[in-house]
Structure formats: C-alpha cells, structure tokens
C-alpha cells in the first residue's frame, strides 16, 4: 500500500482529539515536593548520586536563574507559568539501579511497547521496504535510551557499543563514571547562563543521554533516545550531551510523547553537541508531544535549547527535525561554525494545527574560515495555529568565505492560520555569501479538486500535497524515521480541511 | 439507456445563474463537441458534471449510467468513470507523476471494490500505456506537471485518461495554450482512446480542434443553454459566421 494511502487509513481511525500516545501508565512514582528551591535542587542532586562538583554546578545555575526573566520575544502567547506549581522530579518506583531489562517495571516496558519503541534487544523493524543498494533495515540495529518522566529506564545494546568504544548511557551515570569528559564538555556549548530555560534545566535536569564517540570511530548503529512524560504536573528537563571526537561519526535520533492532560506541562531540555576535527554528528528529532485538544486546552510547552559546536576543522553538524506536537514550541537548534571549513545544516518540518503555536528556526554562527551552512525549513500551518520561522545567519569579521543558503517555505491550509518568516542576516565581512529564499503558499482548491477528480478523497489529496511539500526534508531523515514521520504528518493534519 | 443524461440543468455561482436549463444526452461511443463563446457556460457544465465545489444546482438532473450523479462525491464520480481533462492542469511539486498515477488509480480501483495494483504490475501497465502514447519515461519521474510545457501537461492528461480507462471523458478547452504540433500530438492521443464504449465531450471555443478530433455531434451553447445542435458541419458553419447569430437567438 502506498504510504499516502496508509497514512490516510490511519488518519481515519484517529480523531483530532484522540492523540494516539495519550494514554497514561499507572505506576507508583516518587516525586519531589512541588516547586523549586535550593532544597529541591539538592534533593534532585542527591537522588542522582551527583558528585559534589555537580551539585555546585546546579546550585550556581539555580542562583543565576533566580535573577533571570522569561524571554518574551517569541511570537507565542500563553498564560504566565507558575514555576512553583510544577514537580521538578518524578521517578518510577521502586527506584533502584537497573542492570537489565528484566528489572524494569513491566508496566513501563508495556508503555514503550505501545509506543512502538524497541527496548528488547535486536530491534526488528517491520514493514519497511529496503531501498535498492542499501542494507536490509530489518537487520539494522538501533540502540535506545528510554527516559520515563525524569529517569532513564533502559539503555539497550550497551555491550556492543562498548566494544566499539562508544559510550552511550544516561547522563546521570556518565557524571559518575566519566566525570573528566562530562566536566570538560557539559555547559561548553550552552553555558549555564545561556537563557532562562537552559539555566533552569542546568539546575534541575534529572536525566538524559550521554554519547561519546572516540577518535576515528564510526558508531556502528543509530543511537536513539525516547522521552516520555507520564506524571501529572511534572516538568521534564532532560539534558543530552554528544561528543564526536576527531574523525568520528554518529547519528542520533530522538522521539517524544506524553499523555493527554488538561493542564499544560513544561518541557525544557538542553542538547549540546560537540564535533571535533573531521567529525560528523547527525541529530534527528521527531517531536510529537501532546498538542492540546481541539479547543486548545492542555498540551506541552516545549521550550528547548539545542546547539551544536563544530569545534574542529572540517567538522559537520546536521539537525533534522519533524515537529508536529506540543501546544507551544520554542526551539532553535543551532550551529556554531568555529572550526575552519566546518559545515552546519538544519532541515525542518514544523506542522501546526488546532491552536498550536510554533516559533522555531535555527542560528548559523559562522566564526571559522570557509564555513558553510544550509537551512531548509518547511512550515505547515492549519486550523487556527500560528507558525513562525525565526532564523539567524551571521558571519564574524574573521569568517572569510562564509557561505549560507536558506530556503523557507510555508504552506497554509485553510484561512484561520498564520505563517510568519523572521530571518536575521548579519555579515561582518565582505567575503560572505548569504542567499535567502522564502515562499508562502496556500493549498489551492484547484490542486485539491484536481486530485479528487482523479479519485482521491479530500484527506488523501491533502496528504499527497503536503508530503510533496516536505519531501526534501523527509529525505534527510534515517529511513525508519522517515516512514514514521510521513505517517505522523498526515495524522497531525487530520481535520485541517473541510 | 444513455451514458450521460443532463436534464434541464440550472446552476448558480454565488447569486448568478449560469446555466438556465441545459439538456444534453450522450450515448456510449459518441463524441460530442460543445462550442460557444466565452462566458456561455461551457466550462461550468464540465465542472458541474465532475463535481467541483462552488456551484449550486438549483434545478434539473444529471444521470450517469442511470444513476444520480449529483448525489455522488467527486471522487466517487471519478471511480465510476467520469474523467475531466483540465484546461489548466495543476502542478504538484514534490509528488512524482508515477506516485500520483499509482495513488489515484488504486484509489479508484479500491472504491470499485477491485484489487489494488502491486508496484510491479502497476509499473508494467504504466510503461505499456506511456509507450503506446509516445510519452517518455523521464516525464513520469518528474513532479506532477512541474516545469512541463503546455503540450506535456496535456499529454499527461491523455496519459491519465488512458490509464484510468473512464467511460466518459470531458475535454475542457484542450487546445488552449497549444501550438499546432502539440495540438496534433494530444489529439492523436485522444483519438487512440476512442472505443465503441467510451464517450467523449469535447469543449472548445475554436473549430480547429475538431479538425483533429472529429465529433459525431456539435452543440452550440449561448448564455447558459444549448441553442443549436447538429453534426460536424455545424462547426464549419460557425467558423464562417461566428457566434453572433446565436447570441441574439438566446
């Protein structure tokens, strides 16, 4: 069955109010008291068995956070968040060190099974036709680190990765086991003082993933983290740190879901990537947090800081994101192109429907010589949503020969939504070459009628046109994610026409 | 039973009546030309038969194989065998022509309760059909009509007609935007699809298309009605005398 039709089949089964991942898992959990104070920061630090330096780091961040105010420049609107009305830590009980999957609460394993996350080793991916010339994806392995509320519950394929010298583990473990690496790199891309939400995250982050790929190693499998918010009123503050040492390569995937809740939940993550000389990091996200119901009630506030540092010469960082969920998205995965001849890429599909608000884009900061960057952004707005692309491309005085190409395309479905493009371009030397292209279009009645006259239903027609619109970006995703993303896109647009 | 029966059709767009009681009967295997000046309602008729939104039928009936066509969704009409070759075929960027053809054909087959084509079977069929129409394979890999010349767009319409095998083809101003060579190629494609079963309604402003697609019947429309019907001679008379005489008659 062609993918388009399959997506439509799925769409038919899913009402706009029936978020597929909206179930709740009934497990005992251990929570810190509501609100934030030095005591809570210490509580979290103690729960994580932090060494003393880590606690110090958190407390400094917390004190700094107290002096900061929330950013208001994004084109999003929401009632003021009461930061004392949030649980900053929730862990599934009983909390003990898990050394194998058998020790994990079977309810949690069931949750991941429902979500289709392969925690059992040898992840068999079903139903994907291999492309000619590529290895059979069914035999490809994906190592998964699953984060449930605040705690990392399982990391698969640890042994096999270890053989290759790749470290892939929850960051709380890395802090204890590889303090030299964590101390060297944590906060080196997104400093604790960076912005309101990143600083908050630095104080209270409870888990996330840590990856280190040693020099010259090509990571033997895709690495993946799956985030799940389960508890009511909890924030999720994960922290991810990926270091690709000289000449190494790693591809990392991230997926997220949450149960349906009437109240808004806060997600404030920080992701830091460091690529040394000749190293390459490919980071892909499929974000599908609960977007709220059809009246705009509930949903996740997704306030995320993601930044990569092309620290070495000839290094490369590539961000690919498919953003379909969250009530509010505030996210700008960026690249600091520090090393000479380094390259940054940003490929984005941001879809908003219902009352969703998206303010997302990227920053390409050219510091080294002959650095290049490429931005391909596809925004799709439907329903009563607002979808903004905000991007900064800047070349430092010494960044001679910097090159950027940006293409921002927006597609409107219906007449109650909005698409906005806010590009900032700064060239501080005359040898920089920046190109910017932007288009905004509407799915025209004529195009839909053409498809329908050929036998497609209205939904199939919209799915077909949208999948064509985002094709350039979908091609950047690892294949198994691309299939999932294509389905997600159609599901997200359910109820957007007619 | 006639294949298509339009009876006393009245159609409004917003508050304005465009068709004021139009009747037309088309039997299997017949080719009908509908001619008329701009604004006479020719394209409105084709859109209403295909089910384009925005038109309000206030009176009359359209029967297709004896069934009430106006009760059906446009995609249902397509699956039943109503095909409209568009005057201005749209572009769909990022969607390969091949993907579009397969999605549409399988959607129609599914609606009719037939099995869907597997990828190899479909490829075989589309290659056969495109070869018989002299359509190059690389056109199928490009986005639907993206960067196509006027002639290529019309050939893509003919290709779809050949692939979907409809019972009724409505060609809306097929000659518009085509030079004489492109017109001949497109018309040859249409002629190759004439069968004793398949009917065609050829809508055109000019007689020249009818030199290539020879009609069995010619109808002249003016101000929302058929004002005169005849055989192909009528088209030649029109070429001589113009539409003015009918404007008055209407």
């Amino acid at each position: 069955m062609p993918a388009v039709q399959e997506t439509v089949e799925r769409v038919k089964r899913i009402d706009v109010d029936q978020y597929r991942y909206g179930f709740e898992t009934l497990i005992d959990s251990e929570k810190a008291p509501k609100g934030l104070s030095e005591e809570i920061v210490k509580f979290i630090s103690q729960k994580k068995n932090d060494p003393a330096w880590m606690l110090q780091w958190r407390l400094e961040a917390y004190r700094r956070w107290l002096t900061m105010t929330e950013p208001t420049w994004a084109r999003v609107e929401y009632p003021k968040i009461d930061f004392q009305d949030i649980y900053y830590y929730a862990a599934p009980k009983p909390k003990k060190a898990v050394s194998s999957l058998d020790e994990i609460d079977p309810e949690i394993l069931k949750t991941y099974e429902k979500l289709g996350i392969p925690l059992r080793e040898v992840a068999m991916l079903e139903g994907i036709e291999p492309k000619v010339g590529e290895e059979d994806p069914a035999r490809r392995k994906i190592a998964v680190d699953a984060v449930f509320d605040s705690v990392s519950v399982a990391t698969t394929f640890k042994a096999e990765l270890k053989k290759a010298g790749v470290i892939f583990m929850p960051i709380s473990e890395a802090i204890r086991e590889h303090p030299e690496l964590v101390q060297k790199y944590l906060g080196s891309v997104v400093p604790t003082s960076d912005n309101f939400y990143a600083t908050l995250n630095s104080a209270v982050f409870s888990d996330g993933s840590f990856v280190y790929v040693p020099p010259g190693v090509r990571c033997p499998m895709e690495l993946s983290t799956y985030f799940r918010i389960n508890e009511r009123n909890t924030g999720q503050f994960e922290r991810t740190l990926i270091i690709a040492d000289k000449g190494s390569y790693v591809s990392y995937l991230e997926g997220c879901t949450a149960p349906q809740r009437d109240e808004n939940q806060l997600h404030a993550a920080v992701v830091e990537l460091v690529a040394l000389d000749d190293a390459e990091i490919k980071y892909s996200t499929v974000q599908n947090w609960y977007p709220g119901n059809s009246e705009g009630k509930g949903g996740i506030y997704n306030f995320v800081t993601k930044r990569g540092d092309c620290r070495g010469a000839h290094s490369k960082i590539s961000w690919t994101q498919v953003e379909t969920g969250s009530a509010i998205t505030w996210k700008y995965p960026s690249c600091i192109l520090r090393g000479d001849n380094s390259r940054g890429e940003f490929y984005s599909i941001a879809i908003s429907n219902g009352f969703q608000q998206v303010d997302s884009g990227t920053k390409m900061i050219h510091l080294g010589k002959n650095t290049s960057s490429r931005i391909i952004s596809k925004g799709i707005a439907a329903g009563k949503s607002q979808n903004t692309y905000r991007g900064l491309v800047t070349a430092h005085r010494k960044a001679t020969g910097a090159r950027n190409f940006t293409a921002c395309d927006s597609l409107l479905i219906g007449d109650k939504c909005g698409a906005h493009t806010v590009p900032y371009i700064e060239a501080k030397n005359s040898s920089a070459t920046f190109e910017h292209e932007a288009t905004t279009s509407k799915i025209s009645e004529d195009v839909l009628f053409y498809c329908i006259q050929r036998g497609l239903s209205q939904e199939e027609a919209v799915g077909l046109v949208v999948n064509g619109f985002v094709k350039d970006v979908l091609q950047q995703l690892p294949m198994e994610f691309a299939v999932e993303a294509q389905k997600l896109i159609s599901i997200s647009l359910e109820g957007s026409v007619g | 039973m006639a294949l298509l029966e339009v009876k006393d059709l009245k159609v409004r767009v917003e508050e304005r009546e465009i068709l004021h009681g139009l009747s037309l009967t088309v039997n299997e295997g017949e080719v009908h030309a509908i001619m008329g000046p701009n604004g006479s309602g020719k394209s409105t008729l084709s859109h209403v038969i295909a089910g384009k939104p925005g038109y309000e039928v206030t009176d009359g009936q359209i029967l297709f194989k004896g069934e009430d066509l106006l009760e059906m969704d446009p995609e249902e009409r397509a699956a039943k065998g109503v095909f409209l070759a568009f005057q201005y075929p749209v572009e769909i960027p990022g969607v390969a022509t091949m993907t579009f053809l397969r999605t549409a054909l399988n959607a129609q087959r599914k609606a009719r309760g037939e099995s869907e084509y597997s990828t190899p079977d479909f490829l075989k069929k589309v290659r056969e059909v495109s070869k018989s129409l002299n359509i190059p394979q690389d056109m199928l890999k490009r986005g639907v009509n993206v960067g196509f010349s006027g002639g290529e767009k019309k050939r893509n319409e003919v290709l779809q007609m050949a692939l979907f095998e409809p019972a009724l083809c409505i060609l809306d101003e097929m000659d518009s935007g085509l030079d004489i060579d492109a017109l001949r190629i497109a018309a040859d494609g249409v002629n190759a699809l004439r069968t004793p079963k398949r009917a065609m309604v050829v809508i055109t402003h000019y007689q020249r298309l009818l030199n290539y697609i020879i009609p069995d019947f010619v109808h002249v429309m003016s101000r929302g009605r058929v004002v005169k019907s005849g055989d192909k001679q009528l088209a030649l008379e029109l070429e001589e005398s113009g539409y003015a005489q009918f404007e008055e008659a209407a």
Side-chain angles (χ1 to χ4, degrees):
Chain A
M1 185 166 22
V4 176
Q5 223 159 305
E6 198 179 325
T7 61
V8 169
E9 288 296 308
R10 285 219 191 181
V11 167
K12 280 188 186 145
R13 292 199 296 268
I14 296 161
D15 195 66
V16 73
D17 269 356
Q18 287 173 332
Y19 175 67
R20 180 179 161 206
Y21 309 96
F23 56 86
E24 179 177 2
T25 309
L26 294 171
I27 43 143
D28 262 352
S29 86
E30 190 177 46
K31 281 187 275 200
K34 251 188 194 175
L36 190 52
S37 62
E38 289 215 358
E39 276 57 54
I40 296 289
V41 174
K42 284 177 188 163
F43 175 90
I44 294 169
S45 184
Q46 195 197 352
K47 281 285 165 200
K48 306 312 295 183
N49 283 324
D50 277 350
W53 61 266
M54 194 66 237
L55 173 62
Q56 244 3 80
W57 200 80
R58 288 174 184 277
L59 286 172
E60 272 169 37
Y62 173 69
R63 286 168 198 146
R64 166 74 78 147
W65 179 73
L66 289 176
T67 68
M68 297 168 91
T69 48
E70 289 174 72
T72 52
W73 43 262
R75 196 189 176 95
V76 292
E77 276 175 36
Y78 53 94
K80 203 163 166 50
I81 300 171
D82 181 355
F83 289 92
Q84 297 303 337
D85 195 35
I86 295 171
Y87 291 106
Y88 287 85
Y89 181 81
K93 229 180 359 189
K95 198 200 166 297
K96 57 172 183 177
V98 260
S99 56
S100 85
L101 283 171
D102 298 332
E103 291 174 41
I104 295 169
D105 190 329
E107 285 297 316
I108 293 180
L109 279 185
K110 266 192 227 158
T111 299
Y112 281 104
E113 248 164 59
K114 270 197 231 176
L115 295 168
I117 309 307
L119 284 190
R120 293 279 167 200
E121 300 203 8
V122 187
M124 296 295 286
L125 290 151
E126 296 172 348
I128 301 165
E129 292 167 48
K131 274 188 202 159
V132 184
E134 277 194 29
E135 57 175 325
D136 184 351
R139 260 178 255 121
R140 280 173 70 183
K141 294 175 191 167
I142 299 180
V144 180
D145 182 15
V147 178
F148 199 83
D149 285 331
S150 305
V151 175
S152 184
V153 288
T155 306
T156 58
F157 287 114
K158 239 180 191 172
E160 196 169 334
L161 288 167
K162 204 170 170 183
K163 218 162 60 185
V166 175
I167 305 171
F168 178 44
M169 55 171 57
I171 197 157
S172 52
E173 270 177 59
I175 288 167
R176 296 190 297 271
E177 290 177 28
H178 301 281
E180 69 300 336
L181 284 172
V182 176
Q183 271 183 293
K184 185 169 175 189
Y185 292 106
L186 188 72
S188 71
V189 187
V190 179
T192 50
S193 57
D194 192 80
N195 71 71
F196 185 82
Y197 294 106
T199 306
L200 176 64
N201 172 288
S202 302
V204 302
F205 76 88
S206 34
D207 230 322
S209 297
F210 175 82
V211 178
Y212 172 76
V213 189
V217 171
R218 193 178 168 87
C219 187
M221 61 186 81
E222 307 267 2
L223 302 183
S224 171
T225 303
Y226 207 85
F227 296 105
R228 172 89 180 155
I229 298 178
N230 190 58
E231 276 299 317
R232 217 167 265 276
N233 285 324
T234 46
Q236 178 145 314
F237 305 93
E238 81 268 4
R239 184 110 196 171
T240 298
L241 175 59
I242 299 175
I243 302 136
D245 212 323
K246 290 179 184 171
S248 69
Y249 169 84
V250 62
S251 168
Y252 185 92
L253 324 171
E254 166 192 75
C256 352
T257 59
Q260 257 169 285
R261 302 265 190 225
D262 283 348
E263 65 269 32
N264 297 103
Q265 287 175 290
L266 178 62
H267 172 249
V270 173
V271 175
E272 294 179 277
L273 312 181
V274 180
L276 301 182
D277 290 353
D278 303 302
E280 180 176 347
I281 302 175
K282 187 171 164 61
Y283 193 104
S284 314
T285 304
V286 172
Q287 185 264 108
N288 184 27
W289 295 116
Y290 178 52
N293 71 8
S294 55
E295 270 120 50
K297 197 164 185 212
I300 303 288
Y301 291 166
N302 191 32
F303 299 151
V304 172
T305 305
K306 291 185 169 179
R307 199 172 300 153
D309 188 354
C310 287
R311 207 162 281 183
H314 297 280
S315 58
K316 179 177 167 188
I317 289 178
S318 169
W319 298 100
T320 305
Q321 60 173 24
V322 178
E323 301 279 323
T324 64
S326 298
I328 297 176
T329 299
W330 181 96
K331 179 184 168 186
Y332 316 89
S334 304
C335 296
I336 300 168
L337 303 167
R338 199 184 301 274
D340 290 346
N341 301 297
S342 62
R343 178 167 173 84
E345 291 174 345
F346 174 75
Y347 299 100
S348 172
I349 299 170
I351 299 181
S352 53
N353 196 358
F355 287 84
Q356 283 177 277
Q357 304 175 62
V358 178
D359 195 298
S360 184
T362 186
K363 286 188 268 185
M364 292 293 172
I365 299 162
H366 294 256
L367 301 177
K369 291 182 179 37
N370 300 316
T371 48
S372 63
S373 60
R374 181 178 168 86
I375 299 170
I376 309 288
S377 166
K378 306 274 182 181
I380 299 156
K384 292 177 179 153
S385 67
Q386 294 294 327
N387 201 321
T388 303
Y389 167 83
R390 189 182 300 277
L392 169 71
V393 178
T394 174
H396 189 265
R397 201 165 39 80
K398 289 179 182 162
T400 49
R403 275 170 297 132
N404 167 267
F405 173 76
T406 299
C408 289
D409 298 320
S410 304
L411 187 68
L412 298 168
I413 303 174
D415 53 10
K416 294 186 181 70
C417 52
H420 317 274
T421 303
V422 190
Y424 302 86
I425 298 168
E426 295 169 6
K428 291 184 182 139
N429 75 72
S430 57
S431 64
T433 316
F434 291 168
E435 287 175 70
H436 183 97
E437 290 175 5
T439 65
T440 300
S441 50
K442 229 182 123 164
I443 293 194
S444 77
E445 295 296 327
D446 285 346
V447 170
L448 288 182
F449 181 64
Y450 186 83
C451 297
I452 292 167
Q453 208 296 310
R454 297 303 186 246
L456 276 67
S457 69
Q458 176 101 342
E459 275 125 0
E460 287 170 317
V462 171
L464 189 80
V465 173
V466 169
N467 272 311
F469 177 73
V470 301
K471 192 177 156 208
D472 303 351
V473 175
L474 276 185
Q475 283 171 341
Q476 298 296 326
L477 283 173
M479 202 201 315
E480 46 280 83
F481 251 36
V483 173
E484 189 59 30
Q486 199 174 20
K487 291 172 185 166
L488 200 54
I489 287 165
S490 293
I491 291 168
S492 310
L493 290 170
E494 159 70 346
S496 61
V497 278
Chain B
M1 183 177 55
L3 180 69
L4 176 77
E5 259 183 291
V6 181
K7 294 182 191 165
D8 205 25
L9 189 70
K10 292 184 181 169
V11 174
R12 281 169 177 273
V13 174
E14 285 158 4
E15 287 307 299
R16 210 160 66 90
E17 191 169 272
I18 309 278
L19 298 182
H20 315 286
L22 181 141
S23 297
L24 177 71
T25 301
V26 177
N27 293 301
E28 281 181 347
E30 293 176 353
V31 175
H32 291 246
I34 295 185
M35 303 182 70
N38 290 328
S40 59
K42 304 187 299 286
S43 286
T44 298
L45 175 65
S46 69
H47 291 159
V48 172
I49 294 172
K52 189 175 183 178
Y55 297 91
E56 190 196 347
V57 176
T58 52
D59 203 5
Q61 236 190 344
I62 304 179
L63 298 179
F64 183 68
K65 297 178 184 170
E67 290 182 84
D68 186 353
L69 201 63
L70 296 173
E71 283 299 304
M72 298 178 205
D73 286 334
E75 63 267 33
E76 221 179 319
R77 300 181 198 191
K80 293 262 188 201
V82 175
F83 183 93
L84 172 62
F86 285 75
Q87 183 178 4
Y88 303 109
V90 300
E91 299 185 3
I92 314 176
V95 178
T97 303
M98 192 75 103
T99 307
F100 179 78
L101 296 176
R102 193 179 63 196
T103 308
L105 180 59
N106 279 337
Q108 291 192 19
R109 290 180 65 89
K110 208 174 149 196
R112 291 194 292 260
E114 298 165 9
S115 66
E116 291 176 34
Y117 273 108
S118 68
T119 306
D121 287 350
F122 172 76
L123 287 176
K124 199 170 154 232
K125 184 168 171 72
V126 82
R127 280 203 191 108
E128 267 171 30
V129 171
S130 53
K131 207 173 161 194
S132 73
L133 293 170
N134 275 321
I135 287 172
Q137 290 295 308
D138 85 285
M139 199 170 115
L140 302 174
K141 292 178 189 149
R142 288 152 65 189
V144 177
N145 293 325
V146 177
F148 283 27
S149 68
E152 284 175 322
K153 284 182 182 173
K154 295 292 159 80
R155 278 159 82 188
N156 193 10
E157 297 292 286
V158 177
L159 170 64
Q160 293 177 50
M161 213 189 293
L163 202 59
F164 302 154
E165 302 173 283
L168 174 67
C169 302
I170 305 165
L171 314 179
D172 190 4
E173 308 267 1
M174 186 166 178
D175 45 345
S176 71
L178 294 193
D179 61 38
I180 202 76
D181 292 328
L183 178 63
R184 185 177 298 142
I185 292 170
D188 285 349
V190 172
N191 284 328
L193 297 176
R194 286 178 78 158
T195 72
K197 281 274 182 193
R198 183 172 294 142
M200 297 193 183
V201 174
V202 182
I203 291 172
T204 184
H205 188 84
Y206 299 106
Q207 192 271 337
R208 70 170 188 174
L209 176 64
L210 305 181
N211 292 333
Y212 300 98
I213 303 173
I214 314 281
D216 301 309
F217 302 94
V218 175
H219 310 277
V220 182
M221 271 186 80
S222 179
R223 300 188 184 170
R225 286 191 185 90
V226 172
V227 290
K228 188 163 187 186
S229 295
D231 60 11
K232 61 182 177 186
Q233 279 306 318
L234 180 56
L236 296 171
E237 285 167 27
L238 274 174
E239 190 74 358
E240 291 283 313
S241 55
Y243 289 117
Q245 48 174 325
F246 299 108
E247 302 258 340
E248 284 152 29

